[in-house]
Amino acid sequence: MKRTAMSRPALGAAGLVLGLGLVTACGGDDAGEQGDGGSKDVTLVTHDSFAISDDVLAEFERQSGYTVHIVRGGDAGVVVNQAVLSQGAPQGDVLFGIDNTLLSRALDEDVFTPYEPAGIDAVPADLRLDDENRVTPVDTGDICVNYDRAWFADHGVEPPATLEDLADPAYRDLLVVENAATSSPGLGFVLATVAAFGEDGFADYWERLADNGVEVVDGWEQAYNERFSGAGQGGDRPLVVSYASSPPAGVVYGGDERPDEAPTGVATGTCFRQIEFAGLLDGAENPEGGRALLDFLIGREFQEDMPLTMFVRPVLPDAALPEEFTRYGAVVDDPYSMAPEEIAEGRDGWIDTWTSAVLG
């Protein structure tokens, strides 16, 4: 999730607009300068929720000699669509933020070129979903329904715990979700319902949610920061599709005081396991710099920076987790999941079915 002032991987999806005006130059004034035999600029294309500590980025630039330019392009779904449309002539050298719900689309379109980063052997095999090393797993997270603890306490209602609970009239007009066609959390949540109710049953479930007043918005930023009541922005929906790590983010960005528990909670029976990847873009202008950047993304310094910048779990099993992350984050023991091949085969049809059931 994102992770700066509470925005997550998410999406935005207002369109395939990825203008140069979104470029954030994180280096000095020597962009484009040529070093010994190659460019010293390397460009990372990513979603709006990408975040990194300034000192961690500066140390990578100092050690590698590369200046990193970050291009944020909206939601992960938008970024992947843009990468497919620009295949072979990419807008950067490395793409970070493609997840397991969209991975097959990018691989089928030959968006990436293979590279086996230094240190990849330390990453668990069950997270390495591409035997050709076209993508590198960088983090994991669980897409889950979050709830506003104060709202439920004030109304004397128990928060929901499962997907089935959300269709109960007790939760009418309380839930906001992201559009599955434009948002990776939205799509992940739909995949959770396919895993739970089956291909033949999930549309009926969504029709029940629609009858129960579910609200659909384009992306995570709008859902969490504008419509969710627990984010402190004046929203009136106490249930939102977000991440199991959103509660610690709310505490960290809520000020210096540390409460006994986070003001938001997680319905752990609603979660879908997400894995985020990075890859060297086919046609990259600086493939050598891109490979160095991929090494860095699964290096210990970046891995231990992510929990409190992007609020996701590192893929290095022995990476240290900060106290705020473990104290306020929910542990999801048995999330819904789905094999990439199954997602690839069913994704587009499921999105069409979901759109008909919910949006008409």
Side-chain angles (χ1 to χ4, degrees):
M1 127 186 137
K2 182 175 182 184
R3 303 123 185 222
T4 56
M6 290 295 291
S7 55
R8 161 68 200 177
L11 339 174
L16 299 181
V17 180
L18 186 63
L20 293 178
L22 294 173
V23 172
T24 299
C26 296
D29 296 328
D30 57 345
E33 179 181 328
Q34 298 297 305
D36 295 334
S39 172
K40 302 310 294 179
D41 297 323
V42 60
T43 300
L44 176 68
V45 179
T46 185
H47 49 59
D48 283 350
S49 296
F50 178 81
I52 182 173
S53 297
D54 291 344
D55 58 338
V56 172
L57 179 60
E59 182 61 16
F60 168 70
E61 293 185 323
R62 186 189 69 78
Q63 291 188 8
S64 68
Y66 291 109
T67 297
V68 179
H69 300 266
I70 300 173
V71 177
R72 294 182 174 87
D75 186 84
V78 177
V79 172
V80 172
N81 284 339
Q82 183 62 43
V84 169
L85 291 174
S86 60
Q87 193 281 332
Q91 294 180 300
D93 302 299
V94 169
L95 186 152
F96 166 77
I98 184 170
D99 69 16
N100 48 320
T101 70
L102 298 168
L103 179 60
S104 60
R105 178 157 190 244
L107 296 184
D108 290 345
E109 297 291 340
D110 296 324
V111 166
F112 300 111
T113 189
Y115 174 60
E116 186 170 345
I120 189 65
D121 290 346
V123 177
D126 62 347
L127 301 180
R128 298 166 61 181
L129 300 184
D130 178 43
D131 344 351
E132 299 179 35
N133 292 309
R134 290 167 294 182
V135 291
T136 299
V138 175
D139 66 77
T140 69
D142 292 306
I143 297 167
C144 308
V145 169
N146 282 209
Y147 56 85
D148 176 355
R149 292 186 192 276
W151 189 97
F152 282 96
D154 290 346
H155 291 77
V157 177
E158 283 295 317
T162 67
L163 293 173
E164 190 61 51
D165 288 347
L166 298 173
D168 189 292
Y171 305 107
R172 182 180 302 280
D173 297 333
L174 302 186
L175 173 65
V176 57
V177 304
E178 300 85 356
N179 190 324
T182 56
S183 158
S184 58
L187 177 56
F189 187 60
V190 168
L191 295 181
T193 66
V194 175
F197 300 103
E199 285 193 85
D200 297 330
F202 87 99
D204 173 69
Y205 172 74
W206 276 98
E207 287 172 358
R208 288 192 287 144
L209 284 190
D211 290 342
N212 211 30
V214 66
E215 179 182 10
V216 180
V217 297
D218 280 344
W220 183 90
E221 299 277 357
Q222 185 180 3
Y224 197 92
N225 287 329
E226 298 179 16
R227 301 298 300 124
F228 181 43
S229 62
Q233 301 296 320
D236 61 4
R237 296 259 167 171
L239 297 172
V240 64
V241 171
S242 190
Y243 290 81
S245 53
S246 295
V251 172
V252 169
Y253 289 111
D256 294 333
E257 186 175 344
R258 294 294 182 256
D260 292 337
E261 65 177 3
T264 58
V266 174
T268 55
T270 66
C271 302
F272 183 81
R273 177 62 47 84
Q274 181 184 58
I275 306 169
E276 283 192 300
F277 301 86
L280 182 65
L281 288 162
D282 181 56
E285 289 189 5
N286 186 358
E288 183 177 353
R291 288 189 281 270
L293 189 54
L294 286 169
D295 294 345
F296 166 70
L297 292 177
I298 59 168
R300 181 168 301 278
E301 195 165 16
F302 181 75
Q303 288 281 301
E304 293 186 346
D305 188 55
M306 289 190 302
L308 289 189
T309 53
M310 291 194 283
F311 292 91
V312 289
R313 287 185 173 274
V315 293
L316 288 185
D318 60 349
L321 294 172
E323 190 265 347
E324 292 94 334
F325 191 86
T326 56
R327 177 179 176 186
Y328 298 109
V331 176
V332 181
D333 293 324
D334 190 24
Y336 293 105
S337 62
M338 194 175 293
E341 303 78 25
E342 191 176 358
I343 295 173
E345 184 174 349
R347 181 182 55 233
D348 292 348
W350 296 333
I351 290 174
D352 289 344
T353 300
W354 175 86
T355 300
S356 297
V358 181
L359 302 181

